[in-house]
Amino acid sequence: MTQMCLRIMVGDPCNDDLSTQSCIAMSTVLHGSCPPQAFCNSVLKLASFLMQALGQVAFSLEYLCSGEGIGATAERLEAVLCHILIPLFLRAAASKKDTPQFQLKDLIFCLNLMQNAVNPPLAKQSLAPVTNVSGRQSSVSVTERGHSATVSTYRIVRETVCQAIFLALKVMMIAFEKQMVMLWPRVAKIIRELLGKKVGGPALYSFVDFVVDVNLPISLIILPVLQTK
């Protein structure tokens, strides 16, 4: 029941046919109409309760954001961040009894999720020439005798992914200021890779203003990177 409610909240078609599900899921980035806010709040509250009651083994944050938890929508980082993670970050910052408790490994998972969206591990990249909606392009070059192969991969990051990542980083930096102390280098790495791809647009400028105004230790790491770019 919880999984069904989560899928409704994030706009998953809840279709057991994987081929149909994939086509529907990739037709848009975020679903056009969200369920009522009261429904979304109740679902997030229930998910937070299950995370605390069942623990990391049975109902972890990683499971919650996986294909098993929310279906094909798990492939769309914008939906995962905007409908699940960012609302949970905000609930955690409220410091109430029923708020989710984020451990260090949960924050690492969230940052890894963003990192993999910007620069996915080689194991997850296709070796066949392909271009999909995420903007990933790959090519393979093999010598005549077939003894060696060269793989070149170029990934175009959607602007909506950049916007969602910058927003999520802002919320994480404020909501988990103390816990993020050990993770500032990871945040800086994500920013460097986004800058290296020359993406972000207005979301990047907004993030720069935020970093300047927020006056956190991370500013000393990120601002020099931003200035050199």
Side-chain angles (χ1 to χ4, degrees), residues 14-80:
C14 301
N15 193 321
D16 291 333
D17 186 341
L18 294 180
S19 60
T20 304
Q21 187 183 61
S22 178
C23 293
I24 296 176
M26 293 304 177
S27 61
T28 57
V29 176
L30 295 176
H31 63 292
S33 58
C34 294
Q37 190 61 45
F39 173 82
C40 295
N41 289 338
S42 298
V43 174
L44 289 172
K45 187 174 181 179
L46 177 59
S48 301
F49 171 77
L50 291 176
M51 287 172 61
Q52 296 181 51
L54 301 181
Q56 293 288 330
V57 176
F59 204 86
S60 64
L61 186 66
E62 184 173 357
Y63 168 80
L64 184 63
C65 298
S66 68
E68 188 176 356
I70 58 174
T73 310
E75 296 296 324
R76 293 176 287 167
L77 182 67
E78 301 95 320
V80 176

